[in-house]
Amino acid sequence: MHGAGNDFIVVNGIDQDLSKITQDQWRALSNRQFGVGADQILLIEKPTRSDADFRYRIFNADGGEVEQCGNGSRCFVRYVHEQGLSKKNPLQVEVAHTVISLRALENGDVEVNMGAPIFEPALVPFNPEGIASKQEFHETLYALPIGKNPGAHDDWIAVLSMGNPHAVQIVLDVDSAPVRIEGPSIEIHPAFPKRVNAGYVQILNRHEIKLRVFERGAGETLACGTGACAAVVSGIRRALLDSPVKVHTHGGDLQISWRGIVDGITQPVIMTGPAATVFEGEIELN
Ligand SMILES: N[C@H](CCC[C@H](N)C(=O)O)C(=O)O
């Protein structure tokens, strides 16, 4: 399946026990030459909490399990409905740190309540010690020492979590930004103990951006749902964007809405976008 070109292997862990699959086997399945090929693998399981219909586990192409996947969540609800695992709409789905709500829309898109962004560095996690920072409106920006970023609007990076960690920077031209050269250095920067997804944003107007993301554990993908959420939230906090925002990615467009912080409560991010099934099959894992 794919959500705006971010592609997934979606596996049914309800009717079969896949809990014994190793990190190496997930990585092998994700390999585009020797396996099936995917940016991430989405594992559907029975929920462990009473307020969820299913549990949703995510493995990056490098085999590592992660906390959240935006584009994958839209494919999740499509798969559940297509496979007849549930007719419920919306679905409540348990991910690492919370429950998210997924709704299949009449027009074929899927709307996801991605939960509230997390800004506390320790919860991202991010260690700002020894890193220069400055305040820009409601956003704290960090001068992450990763060498000069040519063509940068500025070298300052915002850090936040959508359940998974994101480092978001604004550039003048996203197509010429050093995503594949600099992205790997950001991904493994020691200030991010669990590594990080590196987002590059070009502001087109107050309701429209272009985005590229060098994803943790997968490299540059054609789209990143949580990256789109993080980019819009940071742009609104920097007073550069107004909700809703259309996010243009190489794989397609996503619509992101966020009402900010209301009465001291950080509001959830709402993401709307496509989800497509490409093919289905069976594979014997050795
Ligand atoms: N690479 C991400 C997981 C997948 C996120 C992305 N595919 C999305 O649509 O949100 C991470 O390690 O946090």
Side-chain angles (χ1 to χ4, degrees):
M1 301 184 78
H2 76 86
N6 184 197
D7 69 331
F8 311 104
I9 300 165
V10 187
V11 288
N12 179 339
I14 306 268
D15 302 341
Q16 53 190 335
D17 175 11
L18 301 177
S19 59
K20 303 221 179 3
I21 291 190
T22 64
Q23 185 161 347
D24 285 344
Q25 285 177 307
W26 290 131
R27 186 169 39 239
L29 265 176
S30 301
N31 187 292
R32 295 190 182 284
Q33 283 72 36
F34 296 100
V36 174
D39 293 326
Q40 280 89 30
I41 293 179
L42 313 181
L43 174 56
I44 298 177
E45 293 186 333
K46 293 184 180 68
T48 67
R49 46 191 286 181
S50 59
D51 58 346
D53 302 306
F54 293 95
R55 184 182 181 204
Y56 167 36
R57 294 174 67 188
I58 303 123
F59 300 86
N60 276 324
D62 68 1
E65 183 165 5
V66 290
E67 312 88 345
Q68 182 64 284
C69 178
N71 290 320
S73 62
R74 301 196 310 275
C75 292
F76 187 102
V77 68
R78 173 81 77 251
Y79 179 88
V80 163
H81 288 163
E82 283 181 350
Q83 296 291 319
L85 295 176
S86 172
K87 289 188 171 40
K88 279 185 75 174
N89 190 32
L91 282 178
Q92 307 307 317
V93 176
E94 171 189 353
V95 289
H97 70 298
T98 184
V99 174
I100 58 175
S101 180
L102 322 173
R103 177 194 301 275
L105 303 178
E106 287 296 308
N107 69 359
D109 279 351
V110 177
E111 179 190 87
V112 183
N113 178 325
M114 292 293 293
I118 297 161
F119 304 113
E120 171 53 42
L123 300 179
V124 173
F126 170 61
N127 176 10
E129 207 169 310
I131 297 176
S133 66
K134 69 177 180 180
Q135 204 63 23
E136 189 174 280
F137 294 100
H138 299 294
E139 186 64 279
T140 305
L141 299 174
Y142 299 91
L144 202 65
I146 38 169
K148 210 63 194 135
N149 171 5
H153 175 59
D154 55 25
D155 284 346
W156 296 84
I157 286 181
V159 177
L160 64 161
S161 167
M162 285 303 303
N164 60 344
H166 287 271
V168 183
Q169 59 182 290
I170 291 174
V171 294
L172 291 177
D173 171 35
V174 78
D175 293 323
S176 63
V179 177
R180 293 178 182 227
I181 300 156
E182 182 189 88
S185 306
I186 299 176
E187 179 198 4
I188 59 169
H189 193 283
F192 296 98
K194 289 190 174 175
R195 296 183 293 156
V196 71
N197 298 285
Y200 293 78
V201 181
Q202 179 181 343
I203 307 266
L204 299 178
N205 60 60
R206 294 191 66 84
H207 288 283
E208 211 169 354
I209 63 173
K210 289 171 78 172
L211 174 70
R212 289 174 67 188
V213 181
F214 189 90
E215 286 198 31
R216 176 180 62 170
E220 182 177 5
T221 55
L222 293 181
C224 179
T226 50
C229 296
V232 169
V233 166
S234 182
I236 291 172
R237 281 162 55 89
R238 297 178 69 172
L240 298 170
L241 295 175
D242 298 310
S243 180
V245 175
K246 182 174 285 263
V247 179
H248 300 291
T249 74
H250 283 167
D253 293 346
L254 302 174
Q255 180 90 351
I256 308 292
S257 306
W258 184 53
R259 291 174 51 229
I261 297 177
V262 177
D263 301 335
I265 311 267
T266 305
Q267 298 301 297
V269 182
I270 309 299
M271 169 185 63
T272 306
T277 300
V278 180
F279 70 93
E280 65 178 277
E282 292 188 5
I283 185 167
E284 286 294 319
L285 289 182
N286 46 37

